[in-house]
Amino acid sequence: MTETHRQQLRLGKCIEDLDKLHNVPELKTKRATMLCKTAQKLFENAEEARLNGDEESSYVYYMKYLRIIAYISKDKEYLKEKSYFNNMLGTKNPNKALDAAEKLKSSLIDRYAKEQKAKRLNDIKESELFKQKIDESRKKQMEIVPIIEAPTPLGLPGPDEVTIKSEQLYSILKSGKLKVMILDVRPGSAYVESHIAYHMCISVPEECISPGQSANVLEQNLPAASKEVWAERASMELIVILDWNSTEVIPGKTLHLLKTILLKWDVKVHYARPPVALKGGYEDWLLKYPAFTTNPQAVPPRQEEFLDDMLSEIDYPNWSDLAPVTPPSRPKPHQLKPGEPIIDRASKAVAVQIYEERARMQLILEQQERLADTSLTLEMQRIEAEQDWEKVRVQRESEQHDEVRAMFLLREQEIISQLMQLENKQYDMEQENLSLREQLEEYQRREREDAARLADSIASAAHDKEAEAERARLASEQAAAERELEAKRARIADMQAQRVQLDQHREQLQQQRLRKQHASRRARRMQSVEEDMIIPIVDRSTKPAKVAPSSDMYQRDFQPVWGRVERGLTGLKNLGNTCYMNSIVQCLNNTNMLVTYFCSGEYLGHVNRSHSTRGAIAEELAAVVRALWSGQYRFIAIKDLKNVVAKHQRTFRGCEQQDSHEFLTILMDWLHLDLQFTISVPSNKDDLPASEKAWYEYTKSKESMILQLFYGQIKSTVMCTVCGKQSVTYESFSNLSLEMPANSNRCSLSDCLKLYLNGETIPGWNCPSCKEKRDALKKLDISRLPPILVIHFKRFYVDPQEYMCNTYRKKQTFIDFPLEDLDMSEFSLNCSNKNMYDLYAVSNHYGSMEGGHYTAACRNTVTSKNVACNKHNGYGKWHKFDDHLVTVISSAEVRSSAAYILFYACHDPASLS
C-alpha cells in the first residue's frame, strides 16, 4: 500500500492505544457456530478497511478476529467437527490475518513514530516563528514614534475549560492586570533546577501531595519558601497548576489530586474560579518561552507513551505510624537537707516539669488536630466514593454493550475496594487517637499535681511580695496555657462534630449500597443455579485415555492488556471475587528464589505426573510467574490457574470470596507434591537427632523446592505436672498461625510469637507414667526455621454470642511488625546463628467476613539473569497490588490493621541448615 492511499491516523497515538481496542468480551456463553460467523464478519471488515487504506481499523479487526479464532480452537464443538468449522472459517484466512496484522503493526509503529517526530518539529518551527515575530515587532516599535496601544484581551480560558495554553498564560502575565498564582507540582529538585520566572510561582512538590490530604496538611508539608505565597491563594484571580508535560487533568494523577485538595478540602478558601492546568506543562512553556524561565537549559525527563489506566487508584497516608509520645517516668522527689531553702530548688524543678508536660500536651493536641482534620477529609472521600458507586451502577445497568458493562463492573469493584481501605485507615486513626487521648489525660493529671505542689512550695516559703508575685505569674501562665489548650480542643471537637454528621449521611448511603449489592448477588446466584441445571450431553461411545500431557502444550489465554511496565509490576484481573487468589499469587511472585526457579525452567525437571494434580498446579503457576515478569502486560487474567485449582478443590469453584490463608496452605501442599524429587536418606538415620530423624520421616525421601523454601518444623513438648514425664513430637509447617493477645487493640509481632510458643495447660492428659489422666503443660518450640518464613494472624473467630449460627467476626488489632531485621533467634531452638529476616510481602484483608477485599504489598527485590531483570526504577520499592492496579507506596504504608499474612526472607538461608 502506497503512502498516498493511507488514511490519516485517528484512533490513537501509539500501538498500545489500538491494543486496548481489540479486547473481546466474555465468549464462553457463545456457540461455536455464532463465533465463526462473527469471526468471518470481522475478517471481511478487516480486509475492506485494509483496501480502503484505514490501517488502524484494519489492525483492530484482524486482532479481534485472531482472538476469536484462538478461543474457537479450544472449543469442544470445534474439536468434534474441525473440518466443518474450518470450511466455515476458511482454511487460509487465519494465516492471512496473522501475516496482515504483523505487517500492519510494523507499519503503524513506524507511522506513529514519524507523526510524533513531525509534530515535535512543527512545534519547534512554530516556536521559532513566534520568537521571530516578537523580535521583528520589537524592532519596529523602536523605530516608530510610540503610540498608545489599545488594551489586548487577556485570553482567559472559558468557565468550563480545565486547561490554559502557554500563549494565554504568557499574555496574562505580560499584561500584569490579573493576580495570578502558579503552582508547580514537579519534584522539588526539578523546580530548583528550572521554573517559570514569575514572583508568584511556587513549588508544591509532588512528593508532598497525597490523596485524602486537606489543604491545611499540605501547607504544613510545603517548602518554607512556598508557604508565604501559598497563604495568599484566596485573593488570586487565577491559579495555574503544572507538571512536566500533562495535556489534561487525569483522575488519580498529581494535578487532579492537587485540584481536588484546593476545591474540596480547602474549607477556609473560596476560589474565584477553579484552578486550570497548563497544557503541555513546563516542557511546553520551556520550549516556547525559554527567556521567561530561571534556566532555559533544563532538560525534561524522557517520556514513554504509556497507555494510562482508565480507572485510577487512590492511596492514603498511613496514620498508624504517628509516633506516640511515651510519658516519661516521674522523677524521684528531691530529699531536702536540714536548713536547705525550699522555694529556690523545688519550685524551679517543678516549674520546669510543668513546662515540659505542657509542651508534650501541645504536641499531642497538634497530632490530634491533624488526625481530626484528616479523618474529616476521609469521611468526605467515603461519601464521594459511595456516590460514585451509585452513578457507576446506574450507568452499568442502563448500558447495552457487554464490553462497556464489564468496564463499569470493574469500576464498581475498584470503588468498593477503595471504600474498604478507607474504612480500615479510619479505624487505625481512631486507635491512634485513643492512645493519644490516654497520654493527654495522664499529662493533665501530672500537671495538676505539679501545679498544686508548686503552689504549696511557694506558699510555704514566705508571705512576702516576691512569693505573691510568683503565685500571680504562675496563675497567669497556667490560665493562658489552659486557654490555648481549650482553643485546640474546641477546634478538634468542632471537626469531630462535623464528622459525626457526615458519618450519619455516609451510613445511609452505605446501607443503600449493601442492599443493592445483596440483591445483585442473589440474582447472579439464581442465574448460576439455572445454568447448572442444564444437563450436558455426553458421548460415552469413546473412552478417553488417561494421559496427563504438559500444560505447556496448549496456548494459555491470559486476556492480557498490553503495555510495557517494569518487570514484576504486572497486575492481575479480578475474575469475580478472586482478589484472595491474586493477593497470594503476587506475594509468591515476589519470592526471589521461587521466581528464579520458575523463570529459569529448572522446575521442568521436577514436575511430578504421578500426583493427583498431574503437575498442573505447578505448571500453571510457573506460566503466570513468567508472564508477570515478561514486562509486556499491564495486567493479565489467571483464568487457567483458577480453573485447575477449582478442578481439584470444590471450595475454590464459583465466584464466592474465599480465605487467602486457606488458599495459600492448600497451594503450598499441592506445589510440594507437584515438584517432588527423590533424595538420599542417611543410612544411620536412627543415630540422628530426634528433630532430623522426624524430618526425614516426614519427607519420606521426597523433597521439593517448595519444601526447601517454605517448610519448617515445630517441636511440641507435653509434660505431666505430677511426675514430670515428657512426650515430644515434631510437626512440619508451611506457615505459622498466630493468635493475638486478648482485648488488645495494639500489639507487636513479638507479643504474638511469645503467646504462640508459651506453654498452655492441658487438662485430662493421659500420662504414660502415672497411668492416669493428669493436668499437663504443652510447650511449642521452633526446631527448624525455613528460608521463607510465612506468618499468619488469626483475625477471624466465631462470635461466642452467636455460636449456634456459626457467625464469624474479625479482629482489627493493629500489629507492629518489623520491615527489616526480624530476629528469630529467641524463638528458635537453633540459636547458634543470628536468624535475621526481612519482610518482602504482605497479604492484606479489608472489610469483614460478610464483604471483604484482599490486596498485597510487595517489595520488588528479584535480581536474576533468568528474568532479565536489572535494577529498574521499581527495584527495592514497595508496591501495592490491588488486583489489576499496581502503585508505588511508602514503607510507612505497609503496616496497618489490615495485615493478614506476612512473608519474610532470611538474610542467610545457609545458616538455617
Side-chain angles (χ1 to χ4, degrees), residues 713-714 736 749-758 779-785 789 822-831 835:
Q713 187 186 65
I714 289 286
L736 296 176
L749 175 57
S750 179
D751 295 333
C752 297
L753 285 167
K754 289 174 181 175
L755 184 64
Y756 175 74
L757 297 172
N758 282 351
K779 175 73 168 66
L780 298 180
D781 294 288
I782 301 175
S783 52
R784 186 188 187 102
L785 279 166
L789 178 62
L822 168 66
D823 189 356
M824 290 296 293
S825 300
E826 63 173 306
F827 306 110
S828 172
L829 292 176
N830 179 20
C831 297
N835 299 317

PDB file of all heavy atoms in Angstrom, residues 713-714 736 749-758 779-785 789 822-831 835:
ATOM      1  N   GLN A 713       9.772 -26.671  61.005  1.00  0.00           N
ATOM      2  CA  GLN A 713       9.398 -27.754  61.925  1.00  0.00           C
ATOM      3  C   GLN A 713       9.172 -27.189  63.331  1.00  0.00           C
ATOM      4  O   GLN A 713       9.911 -26.318  63.799  1.00  0.00           O
ATOM      5  CB  GLN A 713      10.501 -28.809  61.948  1.00  0.00           C
ATOM      6  CG  GLN A 713      10.150 -30.064  62.735  1.00  0.00           C
ATOM      7  CD  GLN A 713      11.335 -31.004  62.837  1.00  0.00           C
ATOM      8  OE1 GLN A 713      12.347 -30.676  63.454  1.00  0.00           O
ATOM      9  NE2 GLN A 713      11.220 -32.176  62.200  1.00  0.00           N
ATOM     10  N   ILE A 714       8.127 -27.691  63.980  1.00  0.00           N
ATOM     11  CA  ILE A 714       7.781 -27.305  65.347  1.00  0.00           C
ATOM     12  C   ILE A 714       7.983 -28.505  66.282  1.00  0.00           C
ATOM     13  O   ILE A 714       7.575 -29.630  65.963  1.00  0.00           O
ATOM     14  CB  ILE A 714       6.312 -26.836  65.427  1.00  0.00           C
ATOM     15  CG1 ILE A 714       6.132 -25.479  64.741  1.00  0.00           C
ATOM     16  CG2 ILE A 714       5.844 -26.749  66.873  1.00  0.00           C
ATOM     17  CD1 ILE A 714       6.683 -24.316  65.500  1.00  0.00           C
ATOM     18  N   LEU A 736       3.178 -20.125  60.048  1.00  0.00           N
ATOM     19  CA  LEU A 736       2.825 -20.078  61.463  1.00  0.00           C
ATOM     20  C   LEU A 736       1.535 -19.287  61.635  1.00  0.00           C
ATOM     21  O   LEU A 736       1.447 -18.145  61.188  1.00  0.00           O
ATOM     22  CB  LEU A 736       3.942 -19.416  62.281  1.00  0.00           C
ATOM     23  CG  LEU A 736       5.298 -20.130  62.320  1.00  0.00           C
ATOM     24  CD1 LEU A 736       6.299 -19.280  63.101  1.00  0.00           C
ATOM     25  CD2 LEU A 736       5.172 -21.506  62.948  1.00  0.00           C
ATOM     26  N   LEU A 749       4.485  -8.080  66.846  1.00  0.00           N
ATOM     27  CA  LEU A 749       4.701  -9.438  66.339  1.00  0.00           C
ATOM     28  C   LEU A 749       5.368 -10.296  67.405  1.00  0.00           C
ATOM     29  O   LEU A 749       5.061 -11.488  67.556  1.00  0.00           O
ATOM     30  CB  LEU A 749       5.563  -9.385  65.070  1.00  0.00           C
ATOM     31  CG  LEU A 749       5.984 -10.728  64.460  1.00  0.00           C
ATOM     32  CD1 LEU A 749       4.778 -11.591  64.143  1.00  0.00           C
ATOM     33  CD2 LEU A 749       6.821 -10.499  63.205  1.00  0.00           C
ATOM     34  N   SER A 750       6.274  -9.691  68.150  1.00  0.00           N
ATOM     35  CA  SER A 750       6.946 -10.416  69.231  1.00  0.00           C
ATOM     36  C   SER A 750       5.937 -10.910  70.269  1.00  0.00           C
ATOM     37  O   SER A 750       6.040 -12.042  70.767  1.00  0.00           O
ATOM     38  CB  SER A 750       7.991  -9.514  69.886  1.00  0.00           C
ATOM     39  OG  SER A 750       8.635 -10.165  70.951  1.00  0.00           O
ATOM     40  N   ASP A 751       4.930 -10.073  70.588  1.00  0.00           N
ATOM     41  CA  ASP A 751       3.886 -10.486  71.536  1.00  0.00           C
ATOM     42  C   ASP A 751       3.141 -11.719  71.021  1.00  0.00           C
ATOM     43  O   ASP A 751       2.852 -12.651  71.784  1.00  0.00           O
ATOM     44  CB  ASP A 751       2.881  -9.351  71.756  1.00  0.00           C
ATOM     45  CG  ASP A 751       3.506  -8.138  72.440  1.00  0.00           C
ATOM     46  OD1 ASP A 751       4.492  -8.325  73.177  1.00  0.00           O
ATOM     47  OD2 ASP A 751       3.015  -7.019  72.222  1.00  0.00           O
ATOM     48  N   CYS A 752       2.835 -11.730  69.731  1.00  0.00           N
ATOM     49  CA  CYS A 752       2.087 -12.845  69.135  1.00  0.00           C
ATOM     50  C   CYS A 752       2.928 -14.124  69.122  1.00  0.00           C
ATOM     51  O   CYS A 752       2.414 -15.221  69.379  1.00  0.00           O
ATOM     52  CB  CYS A 752       1.652 -12.484  67.713  1.00  0.00           C
ATOM     53  SG  CYS A 752       0.527 -11.076  67.616  1.00  0.00           S
ATOM     54  N   LEU A 753       4.215 -14.002  68.807  1.00  0.00           N
ATOM     55  CA  LEU A 753       5.098 -15.175  68.797  1.00  0.00           C
ATOM     56  C   LEU A 753       5.243 -15.767  70.197  1.00  0.00           C
ATOM     57  O   LEU A 753       5.222 -16.994  70.373  1.00  0.00           O
ATOM     58  CB  LEU A 753       6.466 -14.790  68.232  1.00  0.00           C
ATOM     59  CG  LEU A 753       6.539 -14.599  66.717  1.00  0.00           C
ATOM     60  CD1 LEU A 753       7.844 -13.919  66.314  1.00  0.00           C
ATOM     61  CD2 LEU A 753       6.405 -15.945  65.994  1.00  0.00           C
ATOM     62  N   LYS A 754       5.408 -14.897  71.199  1.00  0.00           N
ATOM     63  CA  LYS A 754       5.534 -15.381  72.571  1.00  0.00           C
ATOM     64  C   LYS A 754       4.250 -16.071  73.025  1.00  0.00           C
ATOM     65  O   LYS A 754       4.286 -17.101  73.707  1.00  0.00           O
ATOM     66  CB  LYS A 754       5.872 -14.223  73.507  1.00  0.00           C
ATOM     67  CG  LYS A 754       7.293 -13.692  73.327  1.00  0.00           C
ATOM     68  CD  LYS A 754       7.536 -12.443  74.168  1.00  0.00           C
ATOM     69  CE  LYS A 754       8.957 -11.913  73.939  1.00  0.00           C
ATOM     70  NZ  LYS A 754       9.192 -10.634  74.659  1.00  0.00           N
ATOM     71  N   LEU A 755       3.102 -15.513  72.662  1.00  0.00           N
ATOM     72  CA  LEU A 755       1.819 -16.116  73.009  1.00  0.00           C
ATOM     73  C   LEU A 755       1.674 -17.489  72.363  1.00  0.00           C
ATOM     74  O   LEU A 755       1.138 -18.429  72.964  1.00  0.00           O
ATOM     75  CB  LEU A 755       0.683 -15.190  72.556  1.00  0.00           C
ATOM     76  CG  LEU A 755      -0.747 -15.621  72.913  1.00  0.00           C
ATOM     77  CD1 LEU A 755      -0.941 -15.635  74.423  1.00  0.00           C
ATOM     78  CD2 LEU A 755      -1.759 -14.684  72.249  1.00  0.00           C
ATOM     79  N   TYR A 756       2.169 -17.631  71.136  1.00  0.00           N
ATOM     80  CA  TYR A 756       2.076 -18.897  70.392  1.00  0.00           C
ATOM     81  C   TYR A 756       2.988 -19.971  71.003  1.00  0.00           C
ATOM     82  O   TYR A 756       2.607 -21.136  71.112  1.00  0.00           O
ATOM     83  CB  TYR A 756       2.470 -18.643  68.930  1.00  0.00           C
ATOM     84  CG  TYR A 756       2.545 -19.888  68.072  1.00  0.00           C
ATOM     85  CD1 TYR A 756       1.381 -20.533  67.663  1.00  0.00           C
ATOM     86  CD2 TYR A 756       3.770 -20.402  67.658  1.00  0.00           C
ATOM     87  CE1 TYR A 756       1.452 -21.669  66.857  1.00  0.00           C
ATOM     88  CE2 TYR A 756       3.847 -21.514  66.862  1.00  0.00           C
ATOM     89  CZ  TYR A 756       2.686 -22.150  66.466  1.00  0.00           C
ATOM     90  OH  TYR A 756       2.759 -23.274  65.673  1.00  0.00           O
ATOM     91  N   LEU A 757       4.187 -19.565  71.425  1.00  0.00           N
ATOM     92  CA  LEU A 757       5.179 -20.534  71.887  1.00  0.00           C
ATOM     93  C   LEU A 757       5.104 -20.801  73.388  1.00  0.00           C
ATOM     94  O   LEU A 757       5.622 -21.811  73.861  1.00  0.00           O
ATOM     95  CB  LEU A 757       6.590 -20.049  71.523  1.00  0.00           C
ATOM     96  CG  LEU A 757       6.875 -19.920  70.017  1.00  0.00           C
ATOM     97  CD1 LEU A 757       8.222 -19.256  69.783  1.00  0.00           C
ATOM     98  CD2 LEU A 757       6.832 -21.278  69.341  1.00  0.00           C
ATOM     99  N   ASN A 758       4.494 -19.881  74.155  1.00  0.00           N
ATOM    100  CA  ASN A 758       4.403 -20.086  75.599  1.00  0.00           C
ATOM    101  C   ASN A 758       3.531 -21.301  75.923  1.00  0.00           C
ATOM    102  O   ASN A 758       2.635 -21.687  75.165  1.00  0.00           O
ATOM    103  CB  ASN A 758       3.834 -18.849  76.290  1.00  0.00           C
ATOM    104  CG  ASN A 758       4.884 -17.760  76.435  1.00  0.00           C
ATOM    105  OD1 ASN A 758       6.060 -17.980  76.176  1.00  0.00           O
ATOM    106  ND2 ASN A 758       4.449 -16.588  76.845  1.00  0.00           N
ATOM    107  N   LYS A 779       4.218 -27.097  75.542  1.00  0.00           N
ATOM    108  CA  LYS A 779       5.140 -26.031  75.141  1.00  0.00           C
ATOM    109  C   LYS A 779       5.573 -26.274  73.705  1.00  0.00           C
ATOM    110  O   LYS A 779       5.923 -27.395  73.323  1.00  0.00           O
ATOM    111  CB  LYS A 779       6.370 -26.034  76.062  1.00  0.00           C
ATOM    112  CG  LYS A 779       7.467 -25.049  75.676  1.00  0.00           C
ATOM    113  CD  LYS A 779       7.048 -23.626  75.990  1.00  0.00           C
ATOM    114  CE  LYS A 779       8.245 -22.670  75.879  1.00  0.00           C
ATOM    115  NZ  LYS A 779       8.740 -22.562  74.493  1.00  0.00           N
ATOM    116  N   LEU A 780       5.539 -25.205  72.872  1.00  0.00           N
ATOM    117  CA  LEU A 780       5.976 -25.296  71.479  1.00  0.00           C
ATOM    118  C   LEU A 780       7.313 -24.588  71.306  1.00  0.00           C
ATOM    119  O   LEU A 780       7.565 -23.545  71.921  1.00  0.00           O
ATOM    120  CB  LEU A 780       4.943 -24.662  70.546  1.00  0.00           C
ATOM    121  CG  LEU A 780       3.547 -25.293  70.510  1.00  0.00           C
ATOM    122  CD1 LEU A 780       2.657 -24.535  69.535  1.00  0.00           C
ATOM    123  CD2 LEU A 780       3.611 -26.768  70.119  1.00  0.00           C
ATOM    124  N   ASP A 781       8.170 -25.139  70.460  1.00  0.00           N
ATOM    125  CA  ASP A 781       9.441 -24.515  70.090  1.00  0.00           C
ATOM    126  C   ASP A 781       9.656 -24.726  68.598  1.00  0.00           C
ATOM    127  O   ASP A 781       9.266 -25.759  68.037  1.00  0.00           O
ATOM    128  CB  ASP A 781      10.614 -25.148  70.855  1.00  0.00           C
ATOM    129  CG  ASP A 781      10.543 -24.871  72.343  1.00  0.00           C
ATOM    130  OD1 ASP A 781      10.795 -23.727  72.737  1.00  0.00           O
ATOM    131  OD2 ASP A 781      10.214 -25.811  73.102  1.00  0.00           O
ATOM    132  N   ILE A 782      10.269 -23.717  67.949  1.00  0.00           N
ATOM    133  CA  ILE A 782      10.599 -23.861  66.532  1.00  0.00           C
ATOM    134  C   ILE A 782      11.942 -24.590  66.444  1.00  0.00           C
ATOM    135  O   ILE A 782      12.979 -24.058  66.848  1.00  0.00           O
ATOM    136  CB  ILE A 782      10.679 -22.495  65.833  1.00  0.00           C
ATOM    137  CG1 ILE A 782       9.346 -21.762  65.946  1.00  0.00           C
ATOM    138  CG2 ILE A 782      11.072 -22.661  64.373  1.00  0.00           C
ATOM    139  CD1 ILE A 782       9.359 -20.354  65.384  1.00  0.00           C
ATOM    140  N   SER A 783      11.911 -25.809  65.928  1.00  0.00           N
ATOM    141  CA  SER A 783      13.139 -26.607  65.836  1.00  0.00           C
ATOM    142  C   SER A 783      13.830 -26.461  64.478  1.00  0.00           C
ATOM    143  O   SER A 783      14.995 -26.815  64.331  1.00  0.00           O
ATOM    144  CB  SER A 783      12.824 -28.088  66.086  1.00  0.00           C
ATOM    145  OG  SER A 783      11.764 -28.526  65.248  1.00  0.00           O
ATOM    146  N   ARG A 784      13.102 -25.936  63.482  1.00  0.00           N
ATOM    147  CA  ARG A 784      13.698 -25.770  62.149  1.00  0.00           C
ATOM    148  C   ARG A 784      13.040 -24.568  61.481  1.00  0.00           C
ATOM    149  O   ARG A 784      11.834 -24.571  61.224  1.00  0.00           O
ATOM    150  CB  ARG A 784      13.478 -27.040  61.312  1.00  0.00           C
ATOM    151  CG  ARG A 784      14.180 -27.045  59.959  1.00  0.00           C
ATOM    152  CD  ARG A 784      13.718 -28.258  59.144  1.00  0.00           C
ATOM    153  NE  ARG A 784      14.471 -28.402  57.916  1.00  0.00           N
ATOM    154  CZ  ARG A 784      15.457 -29.265  57.725  1.00  0.00           C
ATOM    155  NH1 ARG A 784      15.825 -30.058  58.716  1.00  0.00           N
ATOM    156  NH2 ARG A 784      16.072 -29.347  56.556  1.00  0.00           N
ATOM    157  N   LEU A 785      13.826 -23.519  61.235  1.00  0.00           N
ATOM    158  CA  LEU A 785      13.308 -22.319  60.566  1.00  0.00           C
ATOM    159  C   LEU A 785      13.484 -22.441  59.054  1.00  0.00           C
ATOM    160  O   LEU A 785      14.540 -22.877  58.591  1.00  0.00           O
ATOM    161  CB  LEU A 785      14.043 -21.073  61.059  1.00  0.00           C
ATOM    162  CG  LEU A 785      13.576 -20.477  62.393  1.00  0.00           C
ATOM    163  CD1 LEU A 785      14.598 -19.478  62.898  1.00  0.00           C
ATOM    164  CD2 LEU A 785      12.216 -19.823  62.253  1.00  0.00           C
ATOM    165  N   LEU A 789       9.879 -17.416  55.762  1.00  0.00           N
ATOM    166  CA  LEU A 789       9.015 -17.577  56.926  1.00  0.00           C
ATOM    167  C   LEU A 789       7.692 -16.848  56.662  1.00  0.00           C
ATOM    168  O   LEU A 789       7.666 -15.633  56.477  1.00  0.00           O
ATOM    169  CB  LEU A 789       9.699 -17.007  58.168  1.00  0.00           C
ATOM    170  CG  LEU A 789       8.901 -17.061  59.479  1.00  0.00           C
ATOM    171  CD1 LEU A 789       8.592 -18.502  59.876  1.00  0.00           C
ATOM    172  CD2 LEU A 789       9.646 -16.344  60.593  1.00  0.00           C
ATOM    173  N   LEU A 822      14.094  -8.840  61.402  1.00  0.00           N
ATOM    174  CA  LEU A 822      13.342  -9.619  62.378  1.00  0.00           C
ATOM    175  C   LEU A 822      14.268 -10.717  62.911  1.00  0.00           C
ATOM    176  O   LEU A 822      14.714 -11.580  62.158  1.00  0.00           O
ATOM    177  CB  LEU A 822      12.100 -10.234  61.733  1.00  0.00           C
ATOM    178  CG  LEU A 822      11.369 -11.307  62.558  1.00  0.00           C
ATOM    179  CD1 LEU A 822      10.773 -10.685  63.826  1.00  0.00           C
ATOM    180  CD2 LEU A 822      10.285 -11.987  61.729  1.00  0.00           C
ATOM    181  N   ASP A 823      14.556 -10.678  64.201  1.00  0.00           N
ATOM    182  CA  ASP A 823      15.472 -11.647  64.815  1.00  0.00           C
ATOM    183  C   ASP A 823      14.653 -12.788  65.411  1.00  0.00           C
ATOM    184  O   ASP A 823      13.941 -12.607  66.393  1.00  0.00           O
ATOM    185  CB  ASP A 823      16.310 -10.967  65.891  1.00  0.00           C
ATOM    186  CG  ASP A 823      17.424 -11.869  66.407  1.00  0.00           C
ATOM    187  OD1 ASP A 823      17.490 -13.041  65.971  1.00  0.00           O
ATOM    188  OD2 ASP A 823      18.229 -11.401  67.236  1.00  0.00           O
ATOM    189  N   MET A 824      14.767 -13.975  64.804  1.00  0.00           N
ATOM    190  CA  MET A 824      14.019 -15.141  65.268  1.00  0.00           C
ATOM    191  C   MET A 824      14.832 -16.025  66.201  1.00  0.00           C
ATOM    192  O   MET A 824      14.385 -17.110  66.575  1.00  0.00           O
ATOM    193  CB  MET A 824      13.548 -15.959  64.054  1.00  0.00           C
ATOM    194  CG  MET A 824      12.461 -15.305  63.227  1.00  0.00           C
ATOM    195  SD  MET A 824      10.905 -15.093  64.142  1.00  0.00           S
ATOM    196  CE  MET A 824      10.418 -16.814  64.357  1.00  0.00           C
ATOM    197  N   SER A 825      16.022 -15.571  66.593  1.00  0.00           N
ATOM    198  CA  SER A 825      16.901 -16.395  67.428  1.00  0.00           C
ATOM    199  C   SER A 825      16.243 -16.764  68.748  1.00  0.00           C
ATOM    200  O   SER A 825      16.340 -17.904  69.208  1.00  0.00           O
ATOM    201  CB  SER A 825      18.219 -15.656  67.696  1.00  0.00           C
ATOM    202  OG  SER A 825      18.886 -15.375  66.488  1.00  0.00           O
ATOM    203  N   GLU A 826      15.555 -15.799  69.372  1.00  0.00           N
ATOM    204  CA  GLU A 826      14.977 -16.068  70.688  1.00  0.00           C
ATOM    205  C   GLU A 826      13.779 -17.006  70.621  1.00  0.00           C
ATOM    206  O   GLU A 826      13.341 -17.532  71.644  1.00  0.00           O
ATOM    207  CB  GLU A 826      14.565 -14.761  71.368  1.00  0.00           C
ATOM    208  CG  GLU A 826      13.477 -13.991  70.638  1.00  0.00           C
ATOM    209  CD  GLU A 826      12.972 -12.791  71.426  1.00  0.00           C
ATOM    210  OE1 GLU A 826      12.563 -12.991  72.603  1.00  0.00           O
ATOM    211  OE2 GLU A 826      13.028 -11.671  70.881  1.00  0.00           O
ATOM    212  N   PHE A 827      13.249 -17.220  69.412  1.00  0.00           N
ATOM    213  CA  PHE A 827      12.085 -18.093  69.270  1.00  0.00           C
ATOM    214  C   PHE A 827      12.454 -19.461  68.696  1.00  0.00           C
ATOM    215  O   PHE A 827      11.577 -20.281  68.462  1.00  0.00           O
ATOM    216  CB  PHE A 827      11.042 -17.428  68.363  1.00  0.00           C
ATOM    217  CG  PHE A 827      10.653 -16.052  68.804  1.00  0.00           C
ATOM    218  CD1 PHE A 827      11.032 -14.932  68.066  1.00  0.00           C
ATOM    219  CD2 PHE A 827       9.932 -15.856  69.967  1.00  0.00           C
ATOM    220  CE1 PHE A 827      10.685 -13.662  68.474  1.00  0.00           C
ATOM    221  CE2 PHE A 827       9.573 -14.587  70.383  1.00  0.00           C
ATOM    222  CZ  PHE A 827       9.952 -13.485  69.640  1.00  0.00           C
ATOM    223  N   SER A 828      13.729 -19.688  68.430  1.00  0.00           N
ATOM    224  CA  SER A 828      14.164 -20.926  67.791  1.00  0.00           C
ATOM    225  C   SER A 828      15.096 -21.695  68.710  1.00  0.00           C
ATOM    226  O   SER A 828      15.893 -21.108  69.453  1.00  0.00           O
ATOM    227  CB  SER A 828      14.866 -20.604  66.463  1.00  0.00           C
ATOM    228  OG  SER A 828      15.447 -21.763  65.915  1.00  0.00           O
ATOM    229  N   LEU A 829      15.018 -23.033  68.649  1.00  0.00           N
ATOM    230  CA  LEU A 829      15.924 -23.866  69.435  1.00  0.00           C
ATOM    231  C   LEU A 829      17.341 -23.793  68.895  1.00  0.00           C
ATOM    232  O   LEU A 829      18.305 -23.979  69.621  1.00  0.00           O
ATOM    233  CB  LEU A 829      15.445 -25.327  69.426  1.00  0.00           C
ATOM    234  CG  LEU A 829      14.129 -25.604  70.170  1.00  0.00           C
ATOM    235  CD1 LEU A 829      13.740 -27.062  69.995  1.00  0.00           C
ATOM    236  CD2 LEU A 829      14.258 -25.271  71.647  1.00  0.00           C
ATOM    237  N   ASN A 830      17.471 -23.513  67.593  1.00  0.00           N
ATOM    238  CA  ASN A 830      18.793 -23.408  66.964  1.00  0.00           C
ATOM    239  C   ASN A 830      19.276 -21.967  67.070  1.00  0.00           C
ATOM    240  O   ASN A 830      19.068 -21.143  66.192  1.00  0.00           O
ATOM    241  CB  ASN A 830      18.717 -23.833  65.497  1.00  0.00           C
ATOM    242  CG  ASN A 830      20.060 -23.729  64.797  1.00  0.00           C
ATOM    243  OD1 ASN A 830      21.113 -23.700  65.448  1.00  0.00           O
ATOM    244  ND2 ASN A 830      20.019 -23.667  63.479  1.00  0.00           N
ATOM    245  N   CYS A 831      19.928 -21.630  68.197  1.00  0.00           N
ATOM    246  CA  CYS A 831      20.346 -20.247  68.460  1.00  0.00           C
ATOM    247  C   CYS A 831      21.827 -20.034  68.187  1.00  0.00           C
ATOM    248  O   CYS A 831      22.412 -19.045  68.628  1.00  0.00           O
ATOM    249  CB  CYS A 831      20.047 -19.875  69.920  1.00  0.00           C
ATOM    250  SG  CYS A 831      18.284 -19.921  70.299  1.00  0.00           S
ATOM    251  N   ASN A 835      19.351 -15.525  63.338  1.00  0.00           N
ATOM    252  CA  ASN A 835      18.368 -15.826  62.307  1.00  0.00           C
ATOM    253  C   ASN A 835      17.587 -14.557  61.975  1.00  0.00           C
ATOM    254  O   ASN A 835      16.538 -14.296  62.550  1.00  0.00           O
ATOM    255  CB  ASN A 835      17.431 -16.940  62.779  1.00  0.00           C
ATOM    256  CG  ASN A 835      18.177 -18.222  63.075  1.00  0.00           C
ATOM    257  OD1 ASN A 835      19.059 -18.608  62.319  1.00  0.00           O
ATOM    258  ND2 ASN A 835      17.830 -18.881  64.164  1.00  0.00           N
TER     259      ASN A 835
END
